[in-house]
């Protein structure tokens, strides 16, 4: 489908990657990984033909269609959400305009027997046939399903895109790509603006995609659930394995271990040969043998061990002073944006040293409540901070507040005070801005590098209550791990707004779910929250929450239709019961593996049975979705 051969590109005289070769084929779902600044987004731009490489060739089929979700998008203002989404169907919209013109002529003309009228009839017939082939009679329904899957409600469809945030506009752009039936999808951090339920929906969609998908993401769980291949860009080279992220890490480490052992054995052989050469060289009778050994030694191909870029930032969040027992107390807090109600009569109490996660669909008020706590926006109700509370706040779009015309060093110096100005270079060094890198302008930094700089700025202020809104957006996986470890060590109070399940695991001891203008408390971590949601309603976890609509008049069904509907509901219940049982079985096996891996894994056909259960679960999920879709269409 797409062949990449000896690809190289450099910036300011240094190669991002050099002589890279790989192929993309149908069914490939590739996780493109690497550190911030390694060249992942650059690679996507080259594959999409938006950027020319310095050297190398890209061979592709002539009719190949490539869709590219970029971090920065340009929107045409004045369109509704539906109108913008319909832009995905260029050919269909063009045909619709032509058909409308012909239908108008047919309605106005009365020369029914003329050759011109007959030709119009032929043309409209051909166009209708082409329209059907292109999916013209289904595209509106498909668009609505995709938009709802990505979190939009029906009442949003006719709103102007101008009224939505950048994150929601990114969802519309993603919807357009998913609707276009591209042969290759290039997705640059698609989960950054998605909530947990939308991510789960996207996972299912991408797993069923027939073409190729290349995903740049720092969400380990998303990569593990979607991809079947990993390509890592590291130190100008690539490492390509047909495994999802976590399995790739294991394989790569095994390979390095083997390389180290082989290199060690080879070195012993070389040293032994060199000693023989020195021994024989001094004797005339052995000179020929020495020369032979030298030639033999020269022909040996030295075993190289793959280099690993292990440089990571160092991060610690010190607590400034000890606050009172209650750090935040909110009573009947409400917030409206114009006519849109976001929060209604919210009350909560946050105690010292607690670790809390805010989760839920985008637009439900998580970031709004965080902004209310730090007094960033006006609201109705009462909110009081406790004694000695000093807030540290990392906004979701923190990196956007950085001035692109300043250097990294100037950014920090301008934010520092007399006490910590002398520590600026040390802080930057711990965030991997070393040497000449501090003189880089902010505008040339990657998204991850900007986030690191925003985190570094946060270290210049004292705090004992830390509020972080989506801090992992754009951070590479190693940096995310460092941040997670630092937050685990942090001895102050933490409020974390995040959709990153893997990042949240084990990090908080309380979860607030934001939904329908209210909040619901779960006294446990993110796994406990998801388990509770599964027990409550399987659909709420595996698919989006059912979108509430105005009640419709109940459709009257015939006796045969009622029988069909009852049969479908019985099938759905049966499949759900099997899904629940398989999920319990798999969870039990995972627990056994954690407790006693060697004993359990040695059982005959253990892993075959384990993988079969997972495969059966995936089949049942597809079956469940098909039955549910049939029921919904039947009721509609």
């Amino acid at each position: 489908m797409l062949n990449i051969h000896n690809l190289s590109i450099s910036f300011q005289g240094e190669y991002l990657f050099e002589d890279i070769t790989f192929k993309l084929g149908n069914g490939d779902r590739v996780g493109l990984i690497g550190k911030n600044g390694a060249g992942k987004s650059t690679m996507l731009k080259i594959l999409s033909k938006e950027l020319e490489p310095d050297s190398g060739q890209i061979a592709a089929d002539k009719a190949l269609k490539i869709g590219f979700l970029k971090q920065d998008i340009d929107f045409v203002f004045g369109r509704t959400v539906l109108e913008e989404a319909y832009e995905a169907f260029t050919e269909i919209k063009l045909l619709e305009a032509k058909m409308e013109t012909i239908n108008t002529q047919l309605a106005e003309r009365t020369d029914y027997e003329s050759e011109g009228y007959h030709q119009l009839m032929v043309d409209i017939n051909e166009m209708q046939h082409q329209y059907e082939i292109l999916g013209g009679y289904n595209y509106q329904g498909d668009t609505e399903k995709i938009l709802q899957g990505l979190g939009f409600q029906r009442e949003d469809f006719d709103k102007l895109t101008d009224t939505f945030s950048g994150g929601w506009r990114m969802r519309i752009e993603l919807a357009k790509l998913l609707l276009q039936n591209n042969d290759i999808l290039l997705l640059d951090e698609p989960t950054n603006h998605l909530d947990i339920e939308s991510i789960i929906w996207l996972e299912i969609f991408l797993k069923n995609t027939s073409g190729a998908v290349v995903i740049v993401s720092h969400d380990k769980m998303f990569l593990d659930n979607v991809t079947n291949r990993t390509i890592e860009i590291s130190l100008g080279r690539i490492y390509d394995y047909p495994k999802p992220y976590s399995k790739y890490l294991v394989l790569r480490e095994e390979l390095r271990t083997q390389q180290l052992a082989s290199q060690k054995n080879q070195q012993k052989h070389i040293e032994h040969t060199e000693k023989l050469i020195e021994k024989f060289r001094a004797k005339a009778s052995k000179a020929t043998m020495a020369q032979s050994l030298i030639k033999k030694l020269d022909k040996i191909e030295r075993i190289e061990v793959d280099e690993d870029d292990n440089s990571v930032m160092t991060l610690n969040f010190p607590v400034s002073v000890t606050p009172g027992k209650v750090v935040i107390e909110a009573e009947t807090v409400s917030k409206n944006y114009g006519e849109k109600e976001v929060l209604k009569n919210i009350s909560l109490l946050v105690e010292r040293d607690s670790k809390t996660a805010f989760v839920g669909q985008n637009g439900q008020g998580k970031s709004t409540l965080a902004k209310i706590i730090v007094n960033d926006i006006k609201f109705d109700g009462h909110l009081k901070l406790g004694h000695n509370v000093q807030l540290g706040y990392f906004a979701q779009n923190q990196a956007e507040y950085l001035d692109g015309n300043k250097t990294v060093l100037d950014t920090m110096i301008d934010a520092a005070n007399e006490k910590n100005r002398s520590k600026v270079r040390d802080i930057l060094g711990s965030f991997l801005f070393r040497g000449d890198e501090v003189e880089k302008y902010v505008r040339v930094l990657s998204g991850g590098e900007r986030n690191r700089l925003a985190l570094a700025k946060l270290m210049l202020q004292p705090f004992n209550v830390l509020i972080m809104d989506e801090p992992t957006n754009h951070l590479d996986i190693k940096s995310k791990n460092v941040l997670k470890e630092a937050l685990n060590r942090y001895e102050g109070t933490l409020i974390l707004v995040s959709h990153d399940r893997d990042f949240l695991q084990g990090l908080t001891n309380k979860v607030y779910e934001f939904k329908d203008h209210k909040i619901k408390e779960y006294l446990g971590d993110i796994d406990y929250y998801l388990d509770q949601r599964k027990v409550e309603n399987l659909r709420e976890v595996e698919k989006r929450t059912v979108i509430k609509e105005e009640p419709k008049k109940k459709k009257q069904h015939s006796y045969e239709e009622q029988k069909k509907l009852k049969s479908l509901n019985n099938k759905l219940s049966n499949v759900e019961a099997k899904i629940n049982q398989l999920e319990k079985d798999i969870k039990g096996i995972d627990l056994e593996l954690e407790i006693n891996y060697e004993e359990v894994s040695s059982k005959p056909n253990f892993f075959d049975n384990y993988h079969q259960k997972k495969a059966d679960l995936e089949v049942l999920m597809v079956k469940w979705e098909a039955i549910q879709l049939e029921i919904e269409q039947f009721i509609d």
Side-chain angles (χ1 to χ4, degrees):
M1 187 187 286
L2 195 68
N3 293 334
I4 295 89
H5 185 66
N6 288 345
L7 205 66
S8 300
I9 193 164
S10 60
F11 288 103
Q12 297 176 338
E14 290 187 16
Y15 277 102
L16 261 184
F17 38 80
E18 188 175 10
D19 294 333
I20 285 177
T21 298
F22 63 95
K23 293 181 181 180
L24 289 177
N26 277 324
D28 280 341
R29 297 192 296 275
V30 180
L32 185 61
I33 64 169
K35 291 187 61 178
N36 294 136
K40 305 183 296 295
S41 295
T42 301
M43 176 65 79
L44 293 188
K45 287 177 182 176
I46 291 172
L47 295 180
S48 69
K49 299 181 181 177
E50 187 178 297
L51 185 67
E52 282 288 326
D54 294 342
S55 60
Q57 295 86 37
I58 299 178
D61 300 336
K62 283 184 180 179
L64 192 73
K65 290 169 64 180
I66 298 177
F68 182 21
L69 180 73
K70 298 182 284 187
Q71 285 300 306
D72 303 312
I73 54 174
D74 296 320
F75 255 85
V76 176
F77 293 103
R79 289 178 184 154
T80 66
V81 170
L82 267 183
E83 285 170 346
E84 184 63 47
Y86 289 159
E87 289 298 306
F89 305 100
T90 312
E91 286 183 81
I92 289 176
K93 299 300 287 181
L94 193 63
L95 262 180
E96 280 183 343
K98 288 180 179 178
M99 286 163 61
E100 188 177 349
T101 302
I102 292 176
N103 280 323
T104 301
Q105 291 181 49
L106 289 171
E108 292 174 350
R109 290 176 62 159
T110 55
D111 53 336
Y112 308 123
E113 303 299 326
S114 70
E115 190 176 325
Y117 194 90
H118 176 71
Q119 187 58 48
L120 287 176
M121 293 292 291
V122 171
D123 291 344
I124 194 70
N125 188 51
E126 288 178 356
M127 285 183 187
Q128 285 173 341
H129 181 63
Q130 181 67 14
Y131 188 72
E132 185 177 359
I133 290 171
L134 291 172
Y137 298 109
N138 302 318
Y139 81 93
Q140 292 180 337
D142 291 342
T143 302
E144 292 185 12
K145 284 176 193 171
I146 297 286
L147 287 172
Q148 286 181 285
L150 291 172
F152 289 93
Q153 298 186 12
R154 285 190 181 276
E155 53 263 36
D156 295 328
F157 291 171
D158 294 322
K159 292 177 183 176
L160 293 176
T161 58
D162 317 23
T163 62
F164 288 87
S165 66
W168 283 95
R169 290 184 200 166
M170 190 69 76
R171 291 189 190 210
I172 301 171
E173 194 67 15
L174 177 58
K176 285 159 65 176
L177 286 180
L178 300 183
L179 286 163
Q180 283 172 343
N181 294 322
N182 289 293
D183 301 300
I184 297 177
L185 275 176
L186 308 174
L187 306 177
D188 195 351
E189 300 192 30
T191 64
N192 267 3
H193 302 286
L194 301 183
D195 50 54
I196 289 172
E197 292 175 329
S198 295
I199 292 171
I200 291 169
W201 179 90
L202 182 60
E203 287 175 354
I204 294 168
F205 186 97
L206 292 177
K207 280 193 284 190
N208 293 321
T209 298
S210 59
V213 184
V214 182
I215 304 166
V216 171
S217 178
H218 301 130
D219 184 336
K220 290 190 285 186
M221 196 172 290
F222 180 72
L223 289 173
D224 281 343
N225 288 344
V226 173
T227 64
N228 54 21
R229 180 179 170 191
T230 300
I231 296 177
E232 180 179 10
I233 303 176
S234 177
L235 301 172
R237 296 181 59 189
I238 64 165
Y239 301 90
D240 187 352
Y241 284 82
K243 297 287 180 185
Y245 178 76
S246 294
K247 291 180 180 178
Y248 157 75
L249 289 183
V250 174
L251 280 174
R252 183 164 177 211
E253 189 54 38
E254 286 175 357
L255 177 66
R256 290 190 82 251
T257 303
Q258 290 170 6
Q259 287 174 335
L260 282 166
S262 300
Q263 188 186 57
K264 190 175 180 181
N265 290 333
Q266 187 186 64
Q267 192 58 36
K268 282 181 182 178
H269 173 68
I270 289 170
E271 287 171 1
H272 177 68
T273 305
E274 285 173 341
K275 284 178 183 177
L276 287 176
I277 290 169
E278 286 302 314
K279 185 178 177 181
F280 294 154
R281 189 177 275 165
K283 298 178 181 179
S285 60
K286 300 287 186 179
T288 305
M289 189 176 291
Q291 287 300 317
S292 175
L293 287 172
I294 289 170
K295 288 179 182 177
K296 190 176 179 182
L297 200 60
D298 288 340
K299 289 179 181 178
I300 292 176
E301 190 174 332
R302 300 301 199 266
I303 294 171
E304 292 184 2
V305 178
D306 292 339
E307 289 184 83
D308 200 6
D309 190 350
N310 287 314
S311 55
V312 292
M313 63 180 181
T314 53
L315 183 55
N316 284 293
F317 295 108
V319 177
S320 54
V321 293
T322 303
K325 186 178 179 183
V326 175
V327 294
I328 301 166
E329 189 173 1
E331 290 183 12
T332 60
V333 168
S334 299
K335 177 63 183 175
N336 288 33
Y337 291 101
E339 294 181 1
K340 186 177 181 182
E341 186 177 53
V342 180
L343 298 173
K344 185 178 181 180
N345 294 330
I346 297 296
S347 296
L348 85 161
L349 188 115
V350 179
E351 294 187 334
R352 180 181 62 218
D353 303 338
S354 61
K355 303 286 193 291
T356 305
F358 287 178
V359 303
Q361 300 168 15
N362 282 13
Q364 293 292 329
K366 305 185 300 294
S367 298
T368 296
L369 186 55
K371 289 175 183 177
I372 287 171
I373 293 170
V374 299
N375 200 28
D376 199 31
I377 55 174
K378 293 179 180 180
F379 62 96
D380 296 318
H382 304 282
L383 187 136
K384 184 172 69 175
L385 299 181
H387 177 64
N388 268 348
V389 167
Q390 294 178 325
L391 294 172
Y393 177 48
F394 186 92
Q396 183 176 155
N397 57 342
Q398 191 77 38
E400 293 176 16
Y401 293 117
L402 300 172
D403 187 343
N405 294 318
K406 286 183 180 179
T407 65
V408 170
L409 183 59
D410 288 341
T411 299
M412 289 290 285
I413 288 174
D414 292 347
N417 55 40
E418 290 181 9
K419 290 183 180 179
N420 56 27
R421 194 163 284 126
S422 61
K423 298 178 182 177
V424 160
R425 282 187 178 270
D426 291 337
I427 294 172
L428 284 173
S430 69
F431 282 83
L432 301 182
F433 294 107
R434 296 164 184 157
D436 293 341
E437 288 184 340
V438 301
E439 301 300 335
K440 279 184 177 180
Y441 282 97
V442 171
R443 63 174 176 266
V444 303
L445 300 179
S446 70
E449 288 170 327
R450 289 187 192 191
N451 251 30
R452 289 211 310 263
L453 180 56
L455 281 170
K457 269 186 72 178
L458 186 62
M459 307 305 292
L460 296 171
Q461 67 179 90
F463 53 82
N464 49 32
V465 177
L466 180 56
I467 300 171
M468 306 193 86
D469 190 353
E470 303 288 7
T472 61
N473 281 359
H474 305 291
L475 285 183
D476 61 64
I477 290 170
K478 287 181 179 178
S479 295
K480 278 169 62 174
N481 290 338
V482 170
L483 176 59
K484 183 172 180 176
E485 288 167 11
L487 291 175
N488 263 321
R489 292 192 302 269
Y490 175 56
E491 294 178 353
T493 307
L494 176 66
I495 295 176
L496 198 56
V497 180
S498 181
H499 67 262
D500 189 329
R501 295 159 289 171
D502 183 71
F503 183 73
L504 287 172
Q505 281 176 329
L507 195 51
T508 61
N509 48 34
K510 186 187 290 185
V511 174
Y512 280 108
E513 181 190 38
F514 286 65
K515 185 177 174 185
D516 298 331
H517 323 303
K518 301 288 185 183
I519 59 174
K520 184 176 179 181
E521 183 182 66
Y522 293 81
L523 296 174
D525 66 1
I526 191 67
D527 288 332
Y528 173 79
Y529 158 73
L530 288 174
D531 283 343
Q532 290 297 302
R533 293 292 304 276
K534 283 180 182 177
V535 171
E536 191 177 299
N537 188 335
L538 180 67
R539 282 187 67 187
E540 288 186 356
V541 177
E542 299 301 333
K543 284 175 68 75
R544 284 203 52 75
T545 302
V546 176
I547 296 164
K548 292 184 177 178
E549 297 180 358
E550 291 298 316
K552 298 177 184 176
K553 287 184 179 179
K554 213 168 184 180
K555 183 181 175 182
Q556 295 297 315
H557 296 291
S558 67
Y559 175 73
E560 289 299 317
E561 288 174 330
Q562 288 176 27
K563 278 178 64 180
K564 174 73 172 172
L565 188 58
K566 186 177 180 181
S567 172
L568 286 170
N569 281 318
N570 288 338
K571 283 182 183 177
L572 189 70
S573 299
N574 187 32
V575 170
E576 284 184 348
K578 289 178 181 177
I579 287 171
N580 282 326
Q581 186 57 51
L582 273 174
E583 285 180 331
K584 285 179 184 176
D585 292 347
I586 290 168
K587 194 170 183 180
I589 295 170
D590 288 337
L591 188 62
E592 286 180 27
L593 284 169
E594 281 183 26
I595 296 169
N596 195 343
Y597 178 86
E598 290 184 6
E599 183 182 330
V600 174
S601 61
S602 63
K603 293 178 182 177
N605 301 322
F606 173 83
F607 280 106
D608 288 342
N609 294 331
Y610 179 48
H611 293 311
Q612 187 58 50
K613 283 182 184 292
K614 284 194 167 184
D616 290 344
L617 179 61
E618 201 160 317
V619 169
L620 282 171
M621 289 306 302
V622 173
K623 189 175 180 181
W624 181 91
E625 193 171 2
I627 296 171
Q628 186 60 49
L629 187 62
E630 194 174 350
I631 289 173
E632 288 173 1
Q633 290 174 340
F634 189 79
I635 293 172
D636 288 341

